[in-house]
């Protein structure tokens, strides 16, 4: 494998921050840039992008972004300058499908791998592909897993690399709800892979990438202090935030939200794990999820932050000390920017949100109040 061709300045930046967002915690903030805009909330970029799906903080202190139409870019968070990396040649963006999740290798300096998930083909399918970042572009694609059922709705597709060095990948039920309870199907699951695409020997079922099952459409994923959290779309009620555990059943389509009423028997029989937070009698269309633990916005410390499409709102979920429950919640920016797809956190404690619109927007939040 060829080493990453990279400038001395970029190497310095790489040493100053983490390789990707959505990890087990937030780093110590770097020295503040005295020329940074002072707006509490500002639009960083609002043109030349269409339906961004993933935003994450990269090791070059840029926002790395996917767009559903197949583009991968870097965005200067200070100026909004857009720096294209790649347009996928075989992308098929049907309905809610297209280019979706992305994550960077946690040791990006030494291993400049970029993992993406996108839809392709006829019949419609989904795959995870690893690229190598070199010379300002992405090259040498390698398919890690493919032939995942896809549809115009319910494709899941959020990626995160855990503290165990494994790749976790959410799949939706691809509009075939019963497959979520079928452990031999790869639909409606959280899958777990080695970073070369092989199946870990300690997965629940030998030779099976399944880690958990009974999911409808999980579109948020973050590791915090060795706990894996996921946000998930409900049907007509009960969007959920779940703690993902090995070989646990999350109920869909037999159970929506907490186990109650006629669902209790199924829950008890099938080891269903209830959510730690849900939306009750309606749905918000919960999407991107991250963890906040900075002094810049002190009231958000030790909180999950997640965004919604239908309700166009950011939610702050304060976690209990052990991270096992949500102790309180608060809403922000309702209907201010439109449908919100993803959220990420910079090393300086600024929060970035992208909109599911065309043209899309990236918004910076330094103080939400």
């Amino acid at each position: 494998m060829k080493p990453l061709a990279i400038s001395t300045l970029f190497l310095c930046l790489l040493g100053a921050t983490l390789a990707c967002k959505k990890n087990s915690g937030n780093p110590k903030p770097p020295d503040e840039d005295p020329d940074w805009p002072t707006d509490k909330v500002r639009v960083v970029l609002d043109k030349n992008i269409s339906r961004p799906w993933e935003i994450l903080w990269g090791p070059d202190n840029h926002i790395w972004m996917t767009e559903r139409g197949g583009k991968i870019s870097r965005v200067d968070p200070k100026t909004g300058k857009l720096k294209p990396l790649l347009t996928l040649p075989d992308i098929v963006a049907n309905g809610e499908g297209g280019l979706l999740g992305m994550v960077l290798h946690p040791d990006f300096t030494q291993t400049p791998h970029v993992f993406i998930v996108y839809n392709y083909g006829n019949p419609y399918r989904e795959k995870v592909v690893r690229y190598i970042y070199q010379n300002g572009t992405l090259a040498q694609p390698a398919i890690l897993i493919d032939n995942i059922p896809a549809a115009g709705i319910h494709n899941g597709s959020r990626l995160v690399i855990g503290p165990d060095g494994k790749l976790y990948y959410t799949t939706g039920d691809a509009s075939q709800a019963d497959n979520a309870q079928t452990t031999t199907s790869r639909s409606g699951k959280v899958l777990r892979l080695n970073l070369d695409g092989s199946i870990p020997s300690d997965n629940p079922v030998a030779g099976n990438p399944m880690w958990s099952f009974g999911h409808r459409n999980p579109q948020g994923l973050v590791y915090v202090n060795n706990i894996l959290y996921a946000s998930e779309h409900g049907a007509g009620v009960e969007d959920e935030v779940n703690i993902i555990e090995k070989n646990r059943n999350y109920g869909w389509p037999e159970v929506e939200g907490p186990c109650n009423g006629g669902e209790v028997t199924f829950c008890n029989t099938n080891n269903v794990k209830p959510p730690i937070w849900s939306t009750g009698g309606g749905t918000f269309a919960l999407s991107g999820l991250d963890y906040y633990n900075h002094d810049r916005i002190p009231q958000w410390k030790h909180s999950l932050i997640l965004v919604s499409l239908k309700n166009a709102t950011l939610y702050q979920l304060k976690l209990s000390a052990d991270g096992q429950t949500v102790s309180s919640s608060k809403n922000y920016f309702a209907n201010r920017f439109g449908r919100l797809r993803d959220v990420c956190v910079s090393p300086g404690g600024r929060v970035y949100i992208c909109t599911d619109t065309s043209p899309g927007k990236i918004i910076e939040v330094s103080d939400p109040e």
Side-chain angles (χ1 to χ4, degrees):
M1 184 182 300
K2 295 180 180 179
L4 176 64
I6 198 164
S7 69
T8 302
L9 174 60
F10 190 45
L11 283 170
C12 293
L13 288 171
L14 281 169
T17 186
L18 292 182
C20 61
K21 66 138 184 176
K22 298 180 176 132
N23 48 23
S24 59
N26 292 318
K28 181 180 183 296
D31 293 337
E32 187 73 10
D33 182 344
D35 297 323
W36 204 275
T38 58
D39 314 65
K40 292 183 177 181
V41 179
R42 70 182 179 100
V43 176
V44 175
L45 178 63
D46 62 357
K47 58 184 178 181
N48 300 321
I49 60 173
S50 176
R51 299 196 181 280
W53 207 91
E54 177 88 45
I55 53 172
L56 58 84
W57 190 268
D60 53 354
N61 289 327
H62 279 58
I63 295 168
W64 290 54
M65 174 183 66
T66 66
E67 298 172 59
R68 285 218 327 250
K71 295 180 180 179
I72 305 173
S73 304
R74 297 162 54 237
V75 179
D76 187 322
K78 182 178 176 181
T79 67
K81 183 178 180 181
L82 190 65
K83 304 175 182 181
L85 290 171
L86 176 71
T87 299
L88 295 170
D90 61 336
I91 187 80
V92 178
N94 289 340
E96 297 174 3
L99 171 57
L100 303 173
M102 175 172 61
V103 71
L104 308 186
H105 193 284
D107 187 14
F108 197 79
T109 311
Q110 299 299 319
T111 308
H113 290 173
V114 179
F115 303 82
I116 60 172
V117 54
Y118 65 95
N119 301 132
Y120 68 98
N122 183 18
Y124 208 36
R125 291 291 184 263
E126 188 166 282
K127 59 184 171 181
V128 176
V129 181
R130 184 191 67 213
Y131 278 84
I132 298 176
Y133 179 65
Q134 56 186 13
N135 301 319
T137 189
L138 297 175
Q140 302 182 45
I143 297 171
L144 301 191
I145 188 170
D146 62 0
N147 206 33
I148 304 292
I153 57 174
H154 303 183
N155 293 307
S157 300
R158 203 63 75 175
L159 301 170
V160 72
I161 297 174
D164 56 0
K166 308 303 182 185
L167 179 68
Y168 293 81
Y169 157 42
T170 69
T171 66
D173 67 13
S175 199
Q176 299 294 320
D178 289 345
N179 284 339
Q181 289 293 320
T182 303
T183 57
T184 54
S185 169
R186 295 178 176 181
S187 297
K189 307 296 186 293
V190 175
L191 303 182
R192 180 176 180 258
L193 300 168
N194 293 316
L195 297 189
D196 62 1
S198 62
I199 297 173
S201 61
D202 58 344
N203 272 16
V205 179
N208 189 333
M210 184 271 295
W211 187 250
S212 65
F213 61 102
H215 299 285
R216 182 175 182 268
N217 189 19
Q219 290 193 353
L221 199 63
V222 63
Y223 246 111
V224 182
N225 300 325
N226 294 312
I227 300 172
L228 182 59
Y229 298 91
S231 56
E232 182 164 342
H233 290 226
V237 296
E238 302 287 13
D239 286 353
E240 301 176 1
V241 174
N242 289 296
I243 292 177
I244 302 301
E245 296 179 351
K246 180 179 181 178
N247 207 29
R248 289 301 295 268
N249 188 343
Y250 289 82
W252 176 256
E254 304 298 330
V255 180
E256 297 181 81
C259 299
N260 49 43
E263 300 169 336
V264 172
T265 299
F266 183 91
C267 289
N268 291 339
T269 303
N270 294 277
N271 194 29
V272 171
K273 184 172 178 63
I276 63 168
W277 185 81
S278 68
T279 60
T283 56
F284 302 167
L286 299 177
S287 190
L289 174 70
D290 211 336
Y291 176 65
Y292 196 89
N293 200 33
H294 288 274
D295 291 330
R296 182 179 294 278
I297 307 175
Q299 65 272 34
W300 284 10
K301 291 192 73 172
H302 192 45
S303 294
L304 298 175
I305 49 175
L306 69 159
V307 291
S308 67
L309 297 159
K310 186 170 74 174
N311 279 26
T313 297
L314 181 146
Y315 301 90
Q316 176 221 350
L317 306 182
K318 189 78 169 180
L319 292 172
S320 60
D322 63 3
Q324 294 295 315
T325 60
V326 172
S327 58
S328 64
S329 65
K330 191 171 181 179
N331 305 347
Y332 296 86
F333 311 123
N335 298 310
R336 181 168 170 181
F337 300 111
R339 290 165 55 89
L340 306 181
R341 172 63 71 179
D342 197 21
V343 58
C344 74
V345 181
S346 80
R350 293 183 174 89
V351 173
Y352 294 87
I353 306 165
C354 71
T355 66
D356 181 47
T357 55
S358 185
K361 296 183 179 70
I362 296 179
I363 300 107
E364 177 188 272
V365 179
S366 296
D367 183 350
E369 302 295 347

